[in-house]
């Protein structure tokens, strides 16, 4: 398969499938499972097929130019290390998907689970395949965001929400530090391209910025891989479903930290700071995790702390700085992924079939679950480093490296002693897992009789345990070529000789392994007899990172925030606005003071245009004066100011802007008028104004006049200055030649500056959804919910007449508005199709289409319209944004930059020549999103009139069951 297609497919397919799974109608749980499994299987097979191309040390690179002037290209790069992580992410991901099919309850929102799982897979693949370090940092933060959603999957549980929030804050903060580190690396090397960074040699280490860079870099890596003192977030993430825990601990998330340490090892390890910080942070994590795991009652907690310990082992190896230690680290990354995923799945089966994970309530399950017990025992042996299992080989490599002589006596003693002690503790907690769950008397505190799970639920564990055995017995055949490719991609020409033989003779590492195995038994026996029922971890009960984190969080977000607000803030909005406007005025005066004496006088002035501006200015001033006393009049006057702006655009030959301004003015005026009714009522009687209040008003008027005058002068200064060479000539010359349209403005929006438009419509969609979210739970106060005075007077004259105002008094206008619906739709379609050559386009057509719906709501009312039309504006927004995105991605699939367009003309009957540029699809997405956003805000406002008013004294609306029909 061509590399230019394979690598983008690896990154894009999971995200596309994630959207597809989430869009499945109803509770299509089986469809979600099969789609996710098929995607994971395709990606696994594709990754395996790519191995011959990276086996010889070469890197596959696919590069798409984005902003090449700043070195910001979208680059995908696969070498041996990236391939190893990719096969772990996709292969174990496939196992997790098949396992989750039987673990998850049908009552759970399965589609959301698999959608998030696919997005998590895509984020991790994007991270390990990134060939641009800024792109890597973006995917790094994306993994934190998606893991937050997965950890908090059961968000109705408080502990799940707390664990998800903690994980996001810790790893997200580390991600920001990593982003700054990536910026510094790019600054030092002069490029953000990963190949250039890895080829920079000692440039980074010799830079004076290296100490700062290293701290930021390690902060990102340590927080992600749960290294001490940031390890506490990982056990709290065990509130996630067990399939998520298996995936997160084995092949994703926590492995991202050690991946980035390995990836940048060639250019950052050759420094004493790296050795001392990385090695001893890893050793502290290794010991703390192993010790704490021994005292856990929850089986998932035990495995979580064992993951912390093994990540510390890998970090220690990478900190040593020797090539053989790097080989051992890469080897253990693969080994840990297989046995840890199988162990988590085994714990999930135990929990699934017994209803508990508490080791004090479990014993003797070997008699009830013999197959699961056998699989879990083998995987636990691999975790403990038992011979003929994969964990033994990489752990013996670890012992070998720690036993190497070092002239520093502290290093020479601390590393082998710490490694041996950690090995003993690892054996002890592995024995606890096996003995405490599967041996001993039958369990007596269970509500159910344990039994084996469905056979297919065990298949993923069987495959992973088989890998543990195969790698442990014949490592040279099973993992040798893959490990060699990964090692060569990191070490290059410095790759040392290493052996994967099971037997290396009777040497010091073997003695350390024997001591670890025997010492683990020696530790477990007294623990089992005297300490197994104690609550908490001896000696370290006070070292609770979660408590420290929560106290810091409360202090920063509550106490410090209160002090800052008390010192600099106010609960009143007016002083804040005054301060901001005054600072803006001072900045503007300071910046433009030198030019005030050089402003040229206008050479010609059209009195008609001056009259238009005069009317607009008077309207704006009158609107400001009436805003306090008569809101409707103020809105009408503001419409006059907007119309003056529209005429100004038309005067200066900008019909697109004029048309957009006019339509937006109409739509926003109607929407704001709908919202005016729900504002607090104004007293019809003027109140006596104190002298202090009058002074503040005069002060505010003076400030407003100064700011307005300053803005006018600044605008005039900008428009009369000598214009530098601009880019307008480029657009005029290339709009038709490269964009296929004669309407330069529209071609700019959908082609040349399509990326800007993409961001703008995204913001518009977010704004609409925010308005929807705010108004969804809003209930108007009872005094605002009263019917207008005119309707009450009408009821006094003829009881019940106010309910038929539209039928009795506005029958002809309502009928005309109803008839206008198809006419306005045709006009919107016409404006959309002609937009590439004449004034129009997706945005203008979208506003016209939304006006058609506004007319129907005005004519028939909310209930009448929604009984006849099913609009679903949220889907309009979603499909519009998706269509615009797919248009850009389609260009990338064909090997062109994002949103590159192609064009041709079609001659349609009765219409004539219509531009059929691919930008038309992008414009269609703009059209759909504008319609959805405008109608969603319209519906949100319109529904206030049919809701019950908020009860007097009620500050909290009553919780509703189900969804609104307009949700």
């Amino acid at each position: 398969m061509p590399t230019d297609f394979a690598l983008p497919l690896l990154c894009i397919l999971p995200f596309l499938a994630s959207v597809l799974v989430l869009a499945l109608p109803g509770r299509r749980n089986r469809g979600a499972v099969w789609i996710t499994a098929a995607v994971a299987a395709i990606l696994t097979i594709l990754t395996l097929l790519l191995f011959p191309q990276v086996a010889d040390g070469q890197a596959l690179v696919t590069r798409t130019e984005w902003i090449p002037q700043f070195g910001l290209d979208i680059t995908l790069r696969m070498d041996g290390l990236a391939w190893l992580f990719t096969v772990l992410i996709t292969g174990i991901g496939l196992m997790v998907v098949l396992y989750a099919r039987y673990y998850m309850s049908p009552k759970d929102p399965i589609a959301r689970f698999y959608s998030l799982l696919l997005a998590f897979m895509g984020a991790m693949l994007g991270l390990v395949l990134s060939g641009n370090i800024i792109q890597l940092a973006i995917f790094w933060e994306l993994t934190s965001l998606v893991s937050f959603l997965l950890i908090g999957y059961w968000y109705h549980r408080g502990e799940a929400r707390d664990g998800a929030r903690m994980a996001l804050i810790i790893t997200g903060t580390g991600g920001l530090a990593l982003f700054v580190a990536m910026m510094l690396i790019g600054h030092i090397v002069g490029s953000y391209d990963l190949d250039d960074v890895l080829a920079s040699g000692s440039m980074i280490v010799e830079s004076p910025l290296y100490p700062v860079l290293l701290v930021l870099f390690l902060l990102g890596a340590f927080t992600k891989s749960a290294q001490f003192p940031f390890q506490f977030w990982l056990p709290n993430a065990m509130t996630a479903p067990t399939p998520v825990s298996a995936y997160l601990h084995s092949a994703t998330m926590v492995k991202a930290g050690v991946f980035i340490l390995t990836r940048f090892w060639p250019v950052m390890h050759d420094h004493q700071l790296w050795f001392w910080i990385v090695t001893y942070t890893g050793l502290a994590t290794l010991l703390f995790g192993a010790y704490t795991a021994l005292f856990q009652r929850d089986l998932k907690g035990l495995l979580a702390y064992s993951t912390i310990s093994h990540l510390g082992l890998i970090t220690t190896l990478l900190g040593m700085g020797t090539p053989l230690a790097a080989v051992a680290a890469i080897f253990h990354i693969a080994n840990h992924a297989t046995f840890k995923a199988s162990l988590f799945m085994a714990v999930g089966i135990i929990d699934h079939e017994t209803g508990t994970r508490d080791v004090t309530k479990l014993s003797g399950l070997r008699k009830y679950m013999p197959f699961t017990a056998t699989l879990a025992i083998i995987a636990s042996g691999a975790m403990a480093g038992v011979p003929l299992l994969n964990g033994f080989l990489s752990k013996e490599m670890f012992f070998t490296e720690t036993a190497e002589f070092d002239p520093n006596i502290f290093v020479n003693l601390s590393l082998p002693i710490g490694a041996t002690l950690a090995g003993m503790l690892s054996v002890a907690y592995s024995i606890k897992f096996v003995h405490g769950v599967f041996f001993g008397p039958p369990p007596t505190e269970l509500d159910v009789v344990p039994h084996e799970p469905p056979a297919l639920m065990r298949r993923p564990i069987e495959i992973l345990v088989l890998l543990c055995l195969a790698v442990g017995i014949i490592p040279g055949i099973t993992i040798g070529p893959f490990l060699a490719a990964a090692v060569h991609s990191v070490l290059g020409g410095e790759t040392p000789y290493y052996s994967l033989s099971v037997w290396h003779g009777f040497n010091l590492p073997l003695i350390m392994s024997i001591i670890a195995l025997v010492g683990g038994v020696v530790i477990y026996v007294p623990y089992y007899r005297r300490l197994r029922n104690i609550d908490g971890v001896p000696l370290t009960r006070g070292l609770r990172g979660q408590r420290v984190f929560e106290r810091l969080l409360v202090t920063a977000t509550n106490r410090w925030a209160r002090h800052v607000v008390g010192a600099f803030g106010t609960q009143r909005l007016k002083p804040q606005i005054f301060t901001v406007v005054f600072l803006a005025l001072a900045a503007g005066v300071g910046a433009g003071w030198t030019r005030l004496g050089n402003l040229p006088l206008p050479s010609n002035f059209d009195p008609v245009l001056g009259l238009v501006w005069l009317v607009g200015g008077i309207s704006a001033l009158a609107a400001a004066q009436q805003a306090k006393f008569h809101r409707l009049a103020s809105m009408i006057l503001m419409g006059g100011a907007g119309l003056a702006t529209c005429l100004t655009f038309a005067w200066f030959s900008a019909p697109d802007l004029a048309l957009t301004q006019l339509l937006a003015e109409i739509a926003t005026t109607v929407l704001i008028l709908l919202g005016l009714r729900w504002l607090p009522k104004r007293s019809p009687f003027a109140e006596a104004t104190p002298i202090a209040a009058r002074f503040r008003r005069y002060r505010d008027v003076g400030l407003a006049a100064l700011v307005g005058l300053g803005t006018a002068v600044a605008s005039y200064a900008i428009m009369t200055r000598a214009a530098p060479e601009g880019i307008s000539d480029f657009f005029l010359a290339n709009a038709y030649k490269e964009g296929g349209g004669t309407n330069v403005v529209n071609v700019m929006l959908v082609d040349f500056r399509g990326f800007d438009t993409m961001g703008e419509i995204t913001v518009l969609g977010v704004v609409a959804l925010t308005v929807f979210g705010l108004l969804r739970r809003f209930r108007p106060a009872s005094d605002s919910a009263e019917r207008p005075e005119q309707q009450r007077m009408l009821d006094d004259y003829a009881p019940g007449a106010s309910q038929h105002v539209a039928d009795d008094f506005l029958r002809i206008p309502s009928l005309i508005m109803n008839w206008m619906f198809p006419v306005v739709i045709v006009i919107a379609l016409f404006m959309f199709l002609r937009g590439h050559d004449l004034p129009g386009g997706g945005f203008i057509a979208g506003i016209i289409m939304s006006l058609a719906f506004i007319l129907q709501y005005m004519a028939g009312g909310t209930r009448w319209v929604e009984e006849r039309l099913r609009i679903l504006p949220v889907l309009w927004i979603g499909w519009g944004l998706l269509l615009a995105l797919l248009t850009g991605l389609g260009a990338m699939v064909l090997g062109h930059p994002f949103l590159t367009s192609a064009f041709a003309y079609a001659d349609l009957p009765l219409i004539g020549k219509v531009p059929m540029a691919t930008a038309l699809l992008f414009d269609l997405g703009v059209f759909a999103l504008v319609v959805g956003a405008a109608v969603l805000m319209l519906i949100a406002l319109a529904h206030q009139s049919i809701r019950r008013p908020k009860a007097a004294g009620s500050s909290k609306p009553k919780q509703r069951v189900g969804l609104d029909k307009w949700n």
Side-chain angles (χ1 to χ4, degrees):
M1 179 178 291
T3 313
D4 291 343
F5 178 74
L7 296 185
L9 184 63
L10 282 170
C11 288
I12 295 173
L13 187 58
F15 292 109
L16 295 179
S18 174
V19 175
L20 177 61
V21 167
L22 200 59
L24 288 176
R27 298 181 64 86
R28 301 295 179 89
N29 296 347
R30 184 169 297 181
V33 174
W34 285 113
I35 291 173
T36 309
V39 169
I42 291 170
L43 296 180
T44 304
I45 294 171
L46 177 59
T47 304
L48 294 174
L49 293 175
L50 290 174
F51 178 72
Q53 301 182 53
V54 300
D56 57 353
Q58 298 297 317
L60 307 178
V61 179
T62 300
R63 180 174 284 104
T64 302
E65 288 188 352
W66 181 32
I67 311 178
Q69 297 87 344
F70 296 98
L72 297 179
D73 296 332
I74 300 174
T75 307
L76 299 176
R77 180 184 183 276
M78 176 183 279
D79 58 6
L81 180 66
W83 183 90
L84 178 65
F85 270 86
T86 301
V87 80
L88 290 177
I89 293 165
T90 56
I92 294 181
L94 176 60
M95 300 296 103
V96 168
V97 171
L98 299 177
Y99 172 81
R101 158 68 177 83
Y102 298 94
Y103 180 86
M104 301 299 292
S105 169
K107 298 179 181 179
D108 290 323
I110 300 298
R112 178 162 62 87
F113 173 80
Y114 283 107
S115 176
L116 291 174
L117 200 65
L118 283 166
F120 195 35
M121 182 184 296
M124 278 300 303
L125 289 172
L127 192 156
V128 301
L129 294 175
S130 289
N132 182 288
I133 59 176
I134 300 299
Q135 176 185 325
L136 184 150
I138 292 172
F139 277 110
W140 181 279
E141 289 290 54
L142 186 58
T143 60
S144 296
L145 180 61
V146 183
S147 67
F148 164 77
L149 299 174
L150 280 170
I151 295 169
Y153 174 75
W154 285 321
Y155 56 83
H156 57 281
R157 301 178 180 177
E159 61 271 19
R161 297 194 300 271
D162 293 340
R165 183 180 66 248
M166 185 182 301
L168 180 63
I169 293 174
I170 297 297
T171 61
T173 304
L176 292 176
L178 182 73
F179 182 79
V180 178
M182 295 295 109
M183 297 289 288
L184 290 175
I185 290 175
H187 172 72
I188 294 170
V189 177
S191 173
Y192 296 111
D193 190 83
L194 182 60
D195 284 317
D196 295 337
V197 172
L198 296 179
S200 64
S202 60
M203 187 183 299
I204 297 176
V205 175
E206 293 174 354
S207 170
L209 294 174
Y210 178 77
V212 177
L213 161 64
L214 180 64
V215 171
L216 293 170
F217 179 84
L218 293 181
L219 186 61
F222 289 168
T223 53
K224 187 74 85 172
S225 282
Q227 297 298 288
F228 185 86
F230 307 107
Q231 79 290 338
F232 55 87
W233 73 263
L234 189 55
N236 286 279
M238 292 301 96
T239 53
T242 298
V244 173
S245 300
Y247 200 34
L248 187 147
H249 282 250
S250 60
T252 60
M253 191 61 177
V254 295
K255 289 295 174 63
V258 292
F259 166 78
I260 203 168
L261 289 174
T262 309
R263 171 60 77 200
F264 287 87
W265 185 90
V267 294
M268 296 191 68
H269 78 279
D270 194 15
H271 198 283
Q272 284 297 305
L273 280 176
W274 173 278
F275 173 80
W276 289 105
I277 297 176
V278 178
T279 301
Y280 283 94
T281 297
L283 187 62
T285 307
L286 168 64
L287 292 168
F288 179 83
Y291 175 73
T292 309
L294 183 61
F295 296 92
Q296 298 301 306
R297 291 186 175 184
D298 186 347
L299 291 178
K300 284 182 71 173
L302 185 153
L303 293 182
Y305 279 103
S306 75
T307 297
I308 292 171
S309 180
H310 282 270
L311 291 171
L313 185 154
I314 298 168
T315 303
T316 304
L317 285 167
L318 292 170
M320 290 180 185
T322 63
L324 282 174
V327 174
I330 297 171
F331 191 19
H332 197 69
I333 287 172
N335 291 337
H336 177 263
T338 52
F339 66 68
K340 188 52 62 72
S342 58
L343 282 171
F344 265 105
M345 293 181 190
V347 168
I349 288 176
I350 294 169
D351 187 18
H352 194 270
E353 304 303 333
T354 65
T356 183
R357 301 193 304 262
D358 190 340
V359 71
T360 62
K361 298 180 181 179
L362 298 168
S363 61
L365 293 186
R366 179 173 56 90
K367 299 177 183 178
Y368 302 93
M369 309 168 69
F371 294 109
T372 301
T374 303
L375 296 171
I377 290 170
I378 296 173
S380 298
M383 181 171 64
V386 174
L388 298 183
L389 294 171
N390 61 348
F392 170 76
L393 297 174
S394 53
K395 190 166 286 189
E396 193 170 60
M397 283 185 173
F398 173 57
F399 288 152
T400 301
E401 290 306 303
T402 59
E404 286 292 324
F405 176 77
D406 190 280
N408 188 313
I409 188 65
F410 174 77
V411 175
N412 207 35
L413 293 176
S414 61
L415 286 181
I417 293 174
T420 307
L421 178 58
M424 296 165 62
L425 292 170
S426 174
V427 172
Y429 65 67
S430 299
I431 295 175
K432 174 182 179 177
F433 181 89
V434 172
H435 180 260
V437 175
F438 299 110
F439 292 89
T444 58
E445 299 184 43
L446 301 181
D447 297 329
V448 295
V449 178
H451 58 83
E452 286 286 0
L456 291 177
M457 191 176 184
R458 289 199 314 267
R459 291 291 180 265
I461 310 179
E462 293 169 357
I463 294 171
L464 293 169
V465 168
L466 182 62
L467 287 175
C468 293
L469 286 166
V471 172
I473 297 171
I474 46 175
I477 299 174
T478 52
I479 199 172
F482 311 124
L483 179 62
V487 168
H488 191 270
S489 67
V490 176
L491 301 179
E494 298 181 11
T495 303
Y497 170 77
Y498 60 91
S499 174
L500 295 180
S501 300
V502 178
W503 175 255
H504 292 90
F506 193 81
N507 51 19
L508 181 57
L510 181 61
I511 295 174
M512 294 170 70
S513 296
I514 295 173
I515 294 174
L517 291 171
V518 175
V521 177
V522 172
I523 290 175
Y524 179 72
V525 172
Y527 162 80
Y528 180 76
R529 292 177 177 175
R530 298 186 178 183
L531 301 176
R532 59 175 172 162
N533 291 321
I534 67 170
D535 188 15
V537 183
L539 304 179
T540 63
R541 284 190 179 93
L543 299 177
R544 295 186 59 185
Q546 179 183 359
R547 182 180 300 171
V548 174
F549 167 80
E550 290 173 348
R551 286 183 178 177
L552 287 175
L553 189 64
V554 169
T555 301
T557 60
N558 190 356
R559 296 176 185 173
W560 292 351
R562 287 178 181 272
H563 290 312
V564 171
V565 171
F568 302 103
T570 174
Q571 295 182 352
R572 298 176 59 216
L573 183 60
K574 183 180 289 186
Q576 299 179 32
I577 296 177
F578 181 88
T579 303
V580 171
V581 173
F582 182 80
L583 291 175
L585 173 63
V589 171
W593 186 261
T594 57
R595 181 122 199 278
L596 287 179
N598 300 322
L599 293 180
L601 296 176
S603 57
N604 53 18
F605 183 75
D606 195 305
V608 177
L609 181 60
L611 182 62
V612 170
W613 287 356
L614 180 62
V615 172
I618 293 174
S619 298
L621 290 173
Q625 192 273 337
Q626 287 292 319
K628 180 174 177 63
F629 306 104
H630 202 302
R631 291 166 179 156
L632 179 60
S634 179
M635 279 301 306
I636 295 172
L637 290 167
M638 281 303 300
L643 184 60
T645 305
C646 175
L647 292 174
T648 303
F649 287 141
W651 188 277
F652 288 104
S653 302
D656 278 280
L657 294 177
L659 194 55
T660 303
Q661 173 69 25
L662 178 63
L663 295 170
E665 192 72 36
I666 295 171
T668 54
T669 299
V670 173
L671 292 176
I672 294 175
L673 286 174
L674 285 173
L676 286 183
R677 176 181 174 185
W678 313 117
L679 294 178
K681 287 188 174 183
R682 293 287 190 185
S683 174
F685 305 104
E687 299 178 357
T689 306
I691 296 178
R694 291 184 181 182
F695 173 76
R696 285 197 302 270
R697 291 179 184 177
Y698 292 139
R699 179 202 62 188
D700 294 344
V701 169
L703 178 64
L706 288 175
V707 172
L709 180 61
T711 304
V713 172
S715 302
Y716 182 76
I718 292 172
M719 290 186 288
T720 57
R721 69 188 174 96
E725 183 179 355
I727 58 175
S728 55
D729 292 337
F730 169 82
F731 292 130
L732 291 171
N734 293 279
Y736 184 79
K737 183 170 62 176
E738 296 188 11
T742 58
N743 183 2
V744 180
V745 174
N746 188 261
V747 174
M748 287 171 57
L749 292 176
V750 300
D751 192 332
F752 293 120
R753 298 184 60 186
F755 199 80
D756 290 349
T757 305
M758 183 80 184
E760 290 163 2
I761 62 174
T762 303
V763 171
L764 178 60
V766 171
V767 169
L769 292 172
T770 304
V771 172
F772 164 79
L774 290 173
L775 293 181
R776 184 184 180 191
R777 296 189 177 277
F778 172 74
R779 292 296 183 275
S782 57
D783 60 339
S784 299
E786 294 180 0
R787 288 172 299 144
E789 183 181 356
Q790 294 86 344
Q791 292 187 16
R792 295 198 303 271
M793 293 174 61
L794 191 62
D795 277 344
D796 292 340
Y797 177 75
S802 65
Q803 303 299 322
H804 308 283
V805 172
D807 294 337
D808 294 340
F809 296 93
L810 299 175
R811 181 170 300 175
I812 300 302
S814 298
L815 186 62
I816 293 174
M817 285 189 281
N818 288 333
W819 285 355
M820 285 293 292
F821 189 62
V823 176
V824 177
I825 291 176
V826 172
I827 294 173
L829 180 62
F830 174 72
M831 298 300 291
F832 172 76
L833 292 175
R834 68 176 245 163
H836 218 52
D837 285 325
L838 295 169
F843 192 85
I844 291 174
I847 298 178
I848 294 175
M849 186 73 173
S850 64
L851 289 175
F853 290 112
I854 289 175
L855 286 175
Q856 300 313 300
Y857 273 86
M858 292 173 62
T862 303
R863 298 186 188 279
W864 184 89
V865 172
E866 294 184 358
E867 288 173 357
R868 292 162 175 79
L869 289 176
R870 187 172 177 82
I871 305 173
L872 300 178
V874 175
L875 289 182
W876 282 73
I877 294 174
W879 283 110
L881 195 58
L882 181 62
L883 183 59
L885 180 62
L886 291 177
T887 305
L889 294 177
M892 295 181 65
V893 171
L894 298 176
H896 299 284
F898 184 69
L899 283 175
T900 301
S901 66
F903 66 92
Y905 280 81
D907 197 353
L908 301 182
L910 303 178
I911 297 179
K913 284 189 175 182
V914 176
M916 290 300 176
T918 55
L920 187 70
L921 297 176
F922 181 81
D923 217 12
L924 181 60
V926 175
F927 166 79
L929 190 139
V930 170
V931 173
V935 174
L936 183 62
M937 289 186 281
L938 167 69
I939 294 176
L941 288 167
H943 268 251
Q944 301 303 320
S945 62
I946 60 175
R947 289 182 168 182
R948 295 180 180 179
K950 181 171 60 176
S954 174
S955 60
K956 194 173 183 181
K958 183 179 179 181
Q959 186 175 4
R960 294 164 293 162
V961 178
L963 300 174
D964 289 342
K965 68 183 280 189
W966 53 287
N967 184 3

